Amino acid sequence: MKTIKKCLFPAAGYGTRFLPATKAIPKEMLPVLTKPLLQYGVEEAIEANLETMAIVTGRGKRSIEDHFDISYELEHQIRGTSKENYLTEIRNVINACTFSYTRQVEMKGLGDAILTGETLIGNEPFGVVLADDLCDSENDGVLKQMVKLYEKYKCCIIAVEEIPAKDSNKYGVIAGDTIKDTQYDEGALVRVNDMVEKPEPKDAPSNLAIIGRYILTPDIFDILRETKPGKGGEIQITDALLEMAKIGKVIAYKFDGKRFDCGSVDGFVEATNYFYKKSAR
Ligand code: G1P
């Protein structure tokens, strides 16, 4: 059985909630302190021992490729000065993995973005990180925790967290049966048997919402090819995963750590304050 070496980053969306900031800057490049959201995601994937970062971009996203590359002019300018330190982290990232890119031509939803990434992933299990869900934890990163779980259960893993009932229409919401596993906290693992994309509170099957971390097996691509547009007229990964869940192949995992919704201004400010305080520790 192949281990997980690749991570897919759907990064083609418009980021309309952050206009005008995202008019000329991809939302994935918005910085929390001095680091773009996408770099946090890539660092989380590196920590989980993933080696290839497969990024699905779109028009106007070229700065992503430039960020994960050497800037010779800049290097030359600051060589030998104290400012060189500012580049250490990104240099380490560039040295630790390889990047590959493809473009989603039309914005047809997250499911379509993931299917677009098939050409970069091939026939192996892979991680998916939605960079605007920024995660942090004291011990192992969220993706690393999920890779461990995958090694044990060898099926799709999705990260979930409890949300207030009123927020159900912002997320994919799951339901299922608790898996008993003494290595995990009671209730941390759920064998998913239902999932709905952005239900109204009255239709939500539980208060467990999917956050932007997935481990997917490559059979998801064939299912996505057959998946019809769902919520919002878009091809939803939630709908494709429901097909897998029906045959018992999806586990929802209540991860250990914090998650900030950096796709919203409130979450973004919260993340900024959190990482600022953490950096001052
Ligand atoms: C996507 C998924 C949704 C998931 C969410 C997590 O929605 O479609 O199921 O709960 O990411 O952030 P989006 O936020 O892209 O609308």
Side-chain angles (χ1 to χ4, degrees), residues 143-161:
L143 207 57
K144 188 168 186 181
Q145 297 169 38
M146 294 171 74
V147 167
K148 265 191 199 158
L149 196 56
Y150 172 81
E151 300 293 344
K152 181 162 187 182
Y153 286 92
K154 307 280 188 220
C155 68
C156 295
I157 313 284
I158 54 182
V160 293
E161 73 177 6

Side-chain angles (χ1 to χ4, degrees), residues 17 27 110-111 130 132-133 159 168-173 195-198 209-214 234-238 259 261 263:
R17 280 190 284 174
K27 66 170 174 170
L110 179 56
L130 308 185
D132 51 11
D133 274 337
S168 64
N169 57 10
K170 296 182 191 159
Y171 301 96
V173 180
M195 45 204 307
V196 190
E197 180 67 8
K198 304 197 173 96
I210 304 168
I211 66 126
R213 298 288 180 280
Y214 307 75
E234 297 190 330
I235 297 170
Q236 300 292 349
I237 187 65
T238 306
R259 165 257 176 190
D261 173 16

Side-chain angles (χ1 to χ4, degrees), residues 121-138:
I121 299 293
N123 187 26
E124 56 187 276
F126 59 104
V128 176
V129 169
L130 308 185
D132 51 11
D133 274 337
L134 180 49
C135 292
D136 191 47
S137 43
E138 289 297 323

